[in-house]
Structures are given as C-alpha cells and as structure tokens.
C-alpha cells in the first residue's frame, strides 16, 4: 500500500530496506523523495489517509510542518520522505544498509590510524 501510494504520487528514488536483524523498531523502512516540500507533505498526508482508510488506525508523523523530512511511523513500517537535497545530506540508505561486518570494522578500537 505504501509503495503503491508513492508510485501514484510520482515519488522519486524509492528504496525499501529490510530491518529484520538490524532493528526491533520496525520490519521495513521505505525511503523516498519528492521534488518539493509541497509534494513531500502531500505524499505523507496521502499515506496517512490510506492507512486510516485501509487499516482503521492513525499513523504517527513528524516533520510535516516544514516537509523537508517527514517521518511516518506505521508500526511495522517506517517511511522517510525527503526533499532531494535533505535526503542526500542525511544518507539514511547508506547508514541502514551497512552490513554488520562493516560496522564491526569501524569500531573505535579497530579504526584505521589517523594521518599525522
């Protein structure tokens, strides 16, 4: 339903990330961009409306006022909607798609030495 709504609203660069084994906060994360704050806000409102209509429950939403980055908590699914430049700055895809081995290599005690 979330992906269909984003497709209907012409979201750009839609990415889904499975969170199983990475986090207990949700099973899936969806990240997408809108071309403007107005489009981001519209996409967020439509997802909230569809969840209410299809499942009879309200979502928790943050960031709708400025619509630079809107977070929608649907329960098992977390949706992040961004304006493109904000999405590029935070790079959530990179953070959440890191493999555990890569994270383990980057702990402070195993970090590469800094140049003098």
């Amino acid at each position: 339903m979330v992906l269909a709504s984003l497709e209907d609203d012409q979201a750009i660069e839609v990415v889904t990330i499975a969170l199983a084994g990475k986090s207990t906060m949700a099973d899936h994360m969806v990240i997408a961009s809108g071309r403007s704050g107005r489009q981001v806000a519209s996409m967020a409102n439509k997802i909230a409306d569809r969840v209410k209509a299809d499942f009879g429950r309200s979502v928790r939403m943050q960031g709708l006022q400025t619509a630079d980055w809107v977070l929608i908590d649907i329960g098992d699914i977390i949706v992040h909607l961004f304006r493109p430049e904000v999405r590029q700055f935070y790079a959530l895809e990179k953070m959440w798609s890191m493999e555990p081995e890569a994270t383990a290599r980057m702990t402070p005690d195993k970090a590469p030495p800094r140049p003098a």
Side-chain angles (χ1 to χ4, degrees), residues 72-114:
I72 307 166
D73 182 353
I74 304 174
D76 292 341
I77 302 170
I78 303 292
V79 181
H80 295 275
L81 303 175
F82 291 96
R83 285 188 305 108
E85 59 275 11
V86 177
R87 180 178 181 172
Q88 183 179 10
F89 178 79
Y90 287 103
L92 289 184
E93 297 96 323
K94 290 179 185 176
M95 180 175 70
W96 282 99
S97 62
M98 285 183 69
E99 295 182 18
E101 297 81 28
T103 305
R105 285 193 304 268
M106 295 306 293
T107 59
D109 59 354
K110 296 180 183 179
R114 292 183 183 204

Side-chain angles (χ1 to χ4, degrees), residues 4-44:
S5 182
L6 292 172
E7 185 177 333
D8 290 348
D9 291 337
Q10 299 178 356
I12 50 178
E13 297 182 38
V14 178
V15 174
T16 60
I17 300 172
L19 296 178
K22 296 179 183 180
S23 176
T24 58
M25 71 178 167
D27 294 332
H28 299 280
M29 180 182 296
V30 178
I31 303 172
S33 297
R35 290 173 181 77
S36 66
R38 187 174 184 164
Q39 184 186 15
V40 168
S42 176
M43 290 188 304

